[in-house]
Amino acid sequence: MDLLSELQKRKKITKEQLLDLKIEQTSRGVSIEDLILEKNILSEEELFKIKSEILDIPLKKELPETISSEVLKIFPKDVVEYYKILPFLIDKEKNILQVGMVYPDDVQGMEIIKFLARQEKLKLEIFLITLSTFKKFFPQFVKPEEELKLALEKIGKEISAKKAYVGIKVQDKISAEEAPIIKMVNVIIKEGIEGNASDIHIEPLSDKVRVRYRKDGILYTSLTFPIEILDAIVARIKILANLKIDETRLAQDGRFSMNINDKKIDFRVATYPTILGEKVSLRILDPTQSLKPLEELGFSNFNLEIVKKAIKSPYGMILITGPTGSGKTTTLYAILNKLNREGVNIITLEDPIEYFIDGINQSQIKPEIGWTFFQGLRQILRQDPNIIMIGEIRDRETLDLAINAALTGHLMLSTLHTNNAIGAIPRMIDMGADPYLIPLSLSLVINQKLARLLCPYCKEKIKPDPSVENYISQIIKELPNEAKKEVPKNFEIFKANGCKKCNFTGYSGRIGFFEILKMSDSLAKLILEKAPESDLLIQAKKEGFLTLEEDGILKVVKGLTSFEEFKRIIKEK
């Protein structure tokens, strides 16, 4: 349905308005309906009346005051919010489910509704609803778990009695340890664990507290609380992490552990003062989720062999590059786990220590007392190490020591911030490394990003657009010979669909896109000649180097991720 063209036909908008609205919709990524209402071109009532006539779907102006609990159980809040749908009634006699939609022309939203109705063996009746109707009734779907509701009710009684757990000071510490607050924090944490989240964000807004979970790299709002209990929630987490509860002006870092579902889970805590109150971020450190074998990270077969060969060497430097949140630490730990055995001495210097691994000597840097990467590395070299891992090379002094360690018979692992694998070489030179030392010390550079894996239960095979098909075919044509062996003969492209198992996102878990740059005599010669990055890339490609883009396309044709996800990741380069 082309709503704008229909509105022009009915002389509700001019041709100039049509063009302006289309341009603004593309640039801002908002709906046409939102733009029309925002600019007061039409009233909401008139706009949706016309839309109802165009779509031949009845406009529902009045809904039941309370949406039944049966409906609330069927439809997840995230689905209702994202697709702007309001399931409001189940007619048991006729076996009918009535659903209101702001955008009934949204094909994906309609498919999800049909799927949920089929699951419950119900027939569908679709109605059009206005944006204001949706906004009025949506809060009924924002319902935490039963135990959370009980905790909020208990706290609500205290607030009304002017005994609220707010403005906590040292002498009020006991307030943060009262049962309702403990229950709320436990529920927040438990939902993150059970939802396989990597991070929990507790954020103050102007009138409420928002809890968001990062799942597969994307943040989702899940819970909201009254703003009055923010201080108590923050204080409870500070107590768990042994932080100062009366210090609200400065950021603080800490960690704590909890046993959840018979598993010991570590949490890294960071508080941050904002104008509305303190924000808290919790990184969930679940060893069963994040300490993965090297073979499960997503390396292509030939790239995996290159990595395995490099880590078997008794000396040399392996650098892992990529943006924040790209899984560099996970790859480092996977390599350390592979190398961890009785006959070697492995020492690390980290900021922070994410996971504790038996048999490895791990140390946390503390710049406030002078225990920096540079100072720590100097001491590590006196500890008779075989393998050294430095969390990050941040300055020339640390880089010089790392190069020296790699040259003197140690296997050195670290991370560096660059956009691609080739970029690690000019970055090292910019930091002050002598070009002639780089080929002698650097064995391997691994650049990576994380992409979401398609849900295996609901991914759907599709016929790609000719332009997409041509693009993929061209990439495959230019792949190195070793990589071409991994392309399925009759490859298929899949899209994200959404089901209950993946919480209707269409994705479940993540996989790496990788670039592996192996040092060679030809690359060494170019480095000594101070050749530009483009020349290094040309030579690396001749030697079988696979770019992030090419590795991503391999993941697409293997059915591991969607082309849309591939575009999202590569666009961030």
Side-chain angles (χ1 to χ4, degrees):
M1 178 204 72
D2 190 343
L3 180 59
L4 287 177
S5 298
E6 190 63 33
L7 289 173
Q8 190 194 354
K9 282 181 189 176
R10 297 181 182 220
K11 297 183 180 180
K12 299 296 181 181
I13 59 172
T14 64
K15 188 176 181 180
E16 289 73 24
Q17 283 177 313
L18 183 148
L19 292 171
D20 288 342
L21 287 165
K22 280 191 173 180
I23 290 167
E24 192 167 350
Q25 182 196 25
T26 304
S27 62
R28 288 177 57 188
V30 296
S31 72
I32 288 297
E33 290 88 343
D34 280 328
L35 284 176
I36 290 170
L37 295 176
E38 180 183 306
K39 296 178 181 296
N40 293 316
I41 296 172
L42 293 170
S43 68
E44 187 182 62
E45 185 178 349
E46 187 178 6
L47 174 63
F48 279 82
K49 184 181 177 184
I50 293 170
K51 190 173 175 178
S52 172
E53 291 168 4
I54 295 168
L55 294 170
D56 195 24
I57 295 175
L59 177 65
K60 192 83 170 175
K61 293 182 180 179
E62 293 182 10
L63 269 65
E65 199 60 37
T66 303
I67 296 172
S68 72
S69 58
E70 286 178 286
V71 174
L72 294 176
K73 288 175 185 175
I74 296 171
F75 282 78
K77 176 183 73 70
D78 288 345
V79 171
V80 170
E81 183 176 23
Y82 185 80
Y83 293 103
K84 298 212 167 18
I85 60 178
L86 279 179
F88 53 89
L89 185 68
I90 295 176
D91 187 337
K92 288 184 178 179
E93 290 182 10
K94 297 179 181 178
N95 210 35
I96 287 174
L97 170 65
Q98 294 185 341
V99 179
M101 299 182 73
V102 176
Y103 307 112
D105 44 337
D106 184 332
V107 177
Q108 192 170 13
M110 184 67 79
E111 285 301 315
I112 287 174
I113 293 172
K114 288 178 180 177
F115 173 81
L116 290 169
R118 284 197 304 270
Q119 292 284 95
E120 301 298 324
K121 298 178 181 177
L122 296 168
K123 296 174 185 176
L124 263 181
E125 278 188 5
I126 301 293
F127 297 87
L128 181 67
I129 57 170
T130 63
L131 281 161
S132 57
T133 299
F134 174 80
K135 288 173 184 175
K136 177 182 175 182
F137 287 91
F138 173 69
Q140 293 192 38
F141 285 84
V142 187
K143 297 200 173 189
E145 298 176 27
E146 279 304 311
E147 54 184 332
L148 197 55
K149 289 196 293 182
L150 293 172
L152 276 170
E153 286 169 10
K154 192 167 182 180
I155 293 169
K157 291 174 184 176
E158 294 293 327
I159 290 172
S160 62
K162 297 185 179 180
K163 295 177 183 177
Y165 304 118
V166 296
I168 294 177
K169 299 180 177 62
V170 176
Q171 64 268 28
D172 300 322
K173 180 176 176 179
I174 189 66
S175 300
E177 294 181 325
E178 293 292 338
I181 290 297
I182 292 172
K183 176 78 76 176
M184 290 185 72
V185 171
N186 287 348
V187 168
I188 291 169
I189 290 171
K190 191 175 180 184
E191 184 164 324
I193 299 296
E194 292 178 349
N196 294 318
S198 60
D199 300 85
I200 303 171
H201 293 260
I202 300 168
E203 305 163 314
L205 303 180
S206 57
D207 59 345
K208 61 188 174 186
V209 181
R210 175 177 67 181
V211 180
R212 292 193 291 172
Y213 297 92
R214 189 176 295 282
K215 299 176 184 179
D216 298 330
I218 308 293
L219 279 171
Y220 299 95
T221 299
S222 183
L223 306 170
T224 57
F225 307 124
I227 192 68
E228 291 86 355
I229 59 174
L230 170 66
D231 292 343
I233 292 172
V234 174
R236 171 61 186 162
I237 294 170
K238 283 183 176 180
I239 290 166
L240 288 170
N242 200 26
L243 301 177
K244 297 177 181 176
I245 64 170
D246 59 331
E247 179 54 83
T248 59
R249 301 164 302 168
L250 300 174
Q252 297 185 70
D253 295 311
R255 64 189 298 151
F256 66 92
S257 299
M258 290 181 77
N259 283 309
I260 298 173
N261 299 333
D262 298 322
K263 283 195 301 186
K264 184 186 177 186
I265 312 268
D266 290 331
F267 298 87
R268 198 174 79 216
V269 179
T271 68
Y272 186 80
T274 77
I275 196 167
L276 296 172
E278 285 186 280
K279 175 189 183 300
V280 180
S281 173
L282 291 90
R283 168 64 57 87
I284 300 172
L285 305 171
D286 182 354
T288 61
Q289 294 290 327
S290 297
L291 287 179
K292 296 180 179 178
L294 200 60
E295 293 78 6
E296 293 181 12
L297 299 183
F299 288 108
S300 303
N301 293 334
F302 67 96
N303 271 341
L304 181 60
E305 290 309 309
I306 293 171
V307 174
K308 285 182 175 179
K309 186 176 179 181
I311 66 176
K312 284 178 183 176
S313 173
Y315 59 87
M317 178 157 45
I318 297 174
L319 291 177
I320 302 176
T321 71
T324 302
S326 62
K328 297 189 296 293
T329 304
T330 299
T331 302
L332 275 176
Y333 277 112
I335 293 173
L336 288 176
N337 258 338
K338 195 85 173 173
L339 296 169
N340 189 18
R341 57 186 185 275
E342 182 67 26
V344 296
N345 179 19
I346 302 176
I347 302 183
T348 77
L349 196 60
E350 306 173 53
D351 181 29
I353 296 172
E354 299 247 355
Y355 301 100
F356 299 107
I357 305 176
D358 269 347
I360 294 178
N361 304 290
Q362 297 172 266
S363 180
Q364 166 76 50
I365 72 160
K366 296 177 182 177
E368 65 274 14
I369 60 170
W371 187 242
T372 61
F373 282 126
F374 172 63
Q375 290 294 336
L377 187 49
R378 288 179 64 184
Q379 294 301 319
I380 284 176
L381 293 171
R382 298 170 187 168
Q383 290 292 320
D384 185 32
N386 299 104
I387 299 162
I388 301 167
M389 191 272 268
I390 302 298
E392 184 184 348
I393 294 175
R394 296 176 179 172
D395 50 53
R396 178 175 179 173
E397 291 80 7
T398 306
L399 177 60
D400 287 344
L401 279 175
I403 289 172
N404 181 60
L407 291 171
T408 53
H410 305 89
L411 183 61
M412 164 64 65
L413 308 172
S414 192
T415 68
L416 196 66
H417 279 286
T418 64
N419 292 327
N420 52 57
I422 304 286
I425 293 167
R427 173 73 177 133
M428 291 172 74
I429 293 171
D430 288 344
M431 291 176 73
D434 292 325
Y436 78 93
L437 290 176
I438 293 175
L440 296 173
S441 59
L442 185 63
S443 301
L444 203 68
V445 181
I446 302 172
N447 180 61
Q448 64 183 80
K449 280 192 168 186
L450 291 177
R452 293 178 293 171
L453 276 167
L454 282 166
C455 172
Y457 298 99
C458 64
K459 66 180 183 180
E460 183 182 337
K461 184 172 68 175
I462 59 167
K463 173 71 174 170
D465 292 335
S467 60
V468 172
E469 198 166 7
N470 290 337
Y471 170 76
I472 292 173
S473 298
Q474 188 60 37
I475 293 284
I476 291 172
K477 185 179 176 182
E478 295 174 4
L479 287 175
N481 290 331
E482 286 297 316
K484 282 180 181 174
K485 294 176 185 177
E486 297 195 28
V487 178
K489 285 185 179 179
N490 299 308
F491 65 81
E492 296 172 332
I493 309 298
F494 294 84
K495 73 170 185 176
N497 217 359
C499 64
K500 282 186 177 180
K501 290 184 181 292
C502 62
N503 201 24
F504 299 94
T505 64
Y507 297 95
S508 180
R510 290 194 285 177
I511 194 169
F513 288 1
F514 294 97
E515 291 178 340
I516 310 292
L517 179 68
K518 181 175 66 172
M519 187 54 63
S520 68
D521 292 341
S522 300
L523 285 172
K525 185 180 177 184
L526 289 172
I527 293 168
L528 292 174
E529 293 170 356
K530 297 183 179 178
E533 198 172 319
S534 56
D535 288 356
L536 294 172
L537 178 59
I538 290 168
Q539 181 57 40
K541 292 278 287 177
K542 287 178 183 176
E543 297 173 9
F545 175 75
L546 197 67
T547 66
L548 208 70
E549 183 178 21
E550 291 168 338
D551 192 51
I553 286 296
L554 269 183
K555 305 297 194 298
V556 171
V557 298
K558 288 179 179 179
L560 297 171
T561 193
S562 66
F563 187 74
E564 288 69 28
E565 178 69 359
F566 162 81
K567 284 195 299 182
R568 184 181 75 85
I569 298 302
I570 296 303
K571 195 176 179 182
E572 293 173 356
K573 282 179 70 178

